[in-house]
Amino acid sequence: SLKPDAVADFCNLPIKSESVAVLVWDPPHLADCHGSSVMKERYGLDLVKGSSIEYWFPMFLPEAKRVLKPDGILLVKLTDGIHGGTYQWISHHFVSACYEHSLWPCDSIVKARKHSLISSQWKKMVHARRFHCLWIVVRNSLKC
C-alpha cells in the first residue's frame, strides 16, 4: 500500500544529496545464505560461506548519509540470528558502523510475531530471535 518515491540500488541512490527526510532500508534477513539460489535470483548476490549482510554496511551508510537531510531519519530493519550454534549480532554491528559514518542510532523498535513465540503444545522449542526483528532509528544529527 506504500508508494515510495524511489526504489533503487542502495549503493548508488538516484537521489539528490541532502534531499531525503526519511530513508528506509530493509536488507534480506537470511542468516547464512551462501550458495542460496534465492539470494542470487532475488538480489543478484553470490555469497560465500560465512558471509553476512554486515559487509554491506560500509557501502550503504555513506550513501545514506549523502542523501539524508541534515536532520533526516534512517529506518533500518535487521534481524539478529543464531546459526550453527553461534549468535550473529547484526544489529550491534550495524550500530557500530553507524558511528563510524557519523550517523547516530537513537532508538530501536522490536517487531515480534507473538503467535510464533510459543507452540500451543510445547512440542517444539524455538528461539525467540527467530521470530522478531528490530527497526533501528538512526539520525543524521546528534539531535535524538
Side-chain angles (χ1 to χ4, degrees):
S1 65
L2 297 177
K3 295 182 181 172
D5 294 329
V7 176
D9 178 349
F10 63 82
C11 294
N12 186 20
L13 297 173
I15 300 170
K16 188 169 77 170
S17 296
E18 296 186 0
S19 65
V20 175
V22 178
L23 183 63
V24 178
W25 189 45
D26 183 7
H29 298 195
L30 301 174
D32 190 19
C33 47
H34 61 278
S36 166
S37 62
V38 171
M39 292 301 283
K40 187 139 181 120
E41 290 168 16
R42 289 188 187 168
Y43 307 106
L45 302 172
D46 192 10
L47 301 177
V48 297
K49 185 172 178 57
S51 62
S52 166
I53 65 167
E54 291 175 40
Y55 77 87
W56 287 334
F57 300 160
M59 293 181 272
F60 168 68
L61 290 171
E63 189 68 356
K65 178 137 182 92
R66 179 187 69 79
V67 301
L68 281 173
K69 290 181 177 181
D71 59 347
I73 296 173
L74 170 62
L75 301 172
V76 178
K77 184 179 172 194
L78 297 172
T79 300
D80 292 330
I82 299 172
H83 184 74
T86 59
Y87 286 99
Q88 295 184 351
W89 300 107
I90 303 298
S91 60
H92 171 75
H93 296 291
F94 178 76
V95 167
S96 296
C98 284
Y99 291 125
E100 292 171 15
H101 292 88
S102 299
L103 291 163
W104 312 104
C106 60
D107 205 351
S108 63
I109 303 159
V110 178
K111 177 186 172 244
R113 293 184 286 153
K114 64 182 175 181
H115 67 279
S116 300
L117 291 176
I118 300 172
S119 169
S120 61
Q121 297 181 12
W122 291 91
K123 289 182 180 177
K124 179 178 166 187
M125 182 181 204
V126 295
H127 197 283
R129 285 200 177 280
R130 296 180 57 109
F131 298 104
H132 81 271
C133 66
L134 297 171
W135 278 99
I136 299 176
V137 181
V138 181
R139 290 219 178 243
N140 195 16
S141 72
L142 285 170
K143 298 177 190 174
C144 283

